[in-house]
Amino acid sequence: MTTLISLLGKAVKGYRIANYRFDNETIRTEPFFGMALLDHAKPDRLILAGTTGSMWDVFFDHQHTDDEAILTLIDAVAKEAVTQEMLLIHEQRLTEKFGIPVQCLLISYARNEAEQTAILTDLAASLQPGEKVILDVTHAFRHLPMLALVAARYLARVRGVEIQEVY
């Protein structure tokens, strides 16, 4: 099984639409790299990871998950108060839309060693030994890409997953 882990950052109005080239012939046009990578890599599962202030509202609005639930998220994102429960309806809708299991994972801001360790532990708990992992840190919040590189090594050694690619 291959799992794409894509980190969701913080952008007030979302990301600009960009063309992502994966090889000489394949170009995907998307505002969020993770969605272009999802289409290109065709994983068996998707984990979207973000903080309580990540742009969950903008991302889900772009994916047309649930208008009413997005309204709740707009205020929560502004207050950095998103909860796991707020993400459940969107997980369900994305699972239906993409035809693969989607998990939305709230992670900390990794401001200290305890928060950084919690991210590694949460990611490890979401993966099974032997899984292949594609890690997308393209839009990650500030220092999280560096932590993600540590996570890749940690997950390979501690959880026994195979890191296929890091984007």
Side-chain angles (χ1 to χ4, degrees):
M1 174 190 295
T2 301
T3 297
L4 169 59
I5 300 173
S6 189
L7 295 164
L8 189 63
K10 187 171 185 172
V12 177
K13 295 181 181 179
Y15 299 113
R16 292 180 299 214
I17 293 176
N19 293 320
Y20 297 105
R21 182 184 303 266
F22 290 97
D23 53 40
N24 289 334
E25 298 177 20
T26 307
I27 297 175
R28 305 282 194 286
T29 303
E30 283 283 340
F32 183 65
F33 178 72
M35 293 299 92
L37 187 55
L38 178 72
D39 186 47
H40 173 73
K42 307 216 183 307
D44 303 300
R45 189 164 74 109
L46 171 64
I47 297 174
L48 290 169
T51 65
T52 57
S54 289
M55 60 172 220
W56 297 102
D57 53 344
V58 175
F59 177 79
F60 293 140
D61 185 45
H62 187 263
Q63 296 302 317
H64 309 289
T65 54
D66 186 294
D67 290 341
E68 190 170 319
I70 289 170
L71 293 175
T72 305
L73 274 177
I74 292 170
D75 188 46
V77 166
K79 294 178 182 176
E80 297 185 2
V82 173
T83 66
Q84 195 67 51
E85 292 75 31
M86 292 176 183
L87 304 176
L88 292 177
I89 186 68
H90 305 288
E91 273 184 3
Q92 179 185 0
R93 297 287 163 78
L94 290 177
T95 294
E96 293 165 3
K97 178 178 179 176
F98 299 144
I100 60 171
V102 175
Q103 176 186 356
C104 295
L105 180 66
L106 274 181
I107 58 173
S108 72
Y109 285 93
R111 292 173 282 221
N112 55 46
E113 188 176 329
E115 288 186 0
Q116 293 166 12
T117 301
I119 292 172
L120 297 176
T121 303
D122 291 345
L123 285 172
S126 298
L127 299 169
Q128 298 300 315
E131 253 184 281
K132 295 176 181 169
V133 175
I134 300 168
L135 186 57
D136 164 31
V137 299
T138 307
H139 297 297
F141 182 68
R142 294 184 195 147
H143 55 285
L144 288 178
M146 291 306 296
L147 181 61
L149 293 176
V150 172
R153 186 175 172 104
Y154 172 84
L155 293 169
R157 294 209 184 258
V158 172
R159 197 63 176 153
V161 302
E162 177 188 332
I163 306 298
Q164 281 191 317
E165 299 281 343
V166 177
Y167 288 86

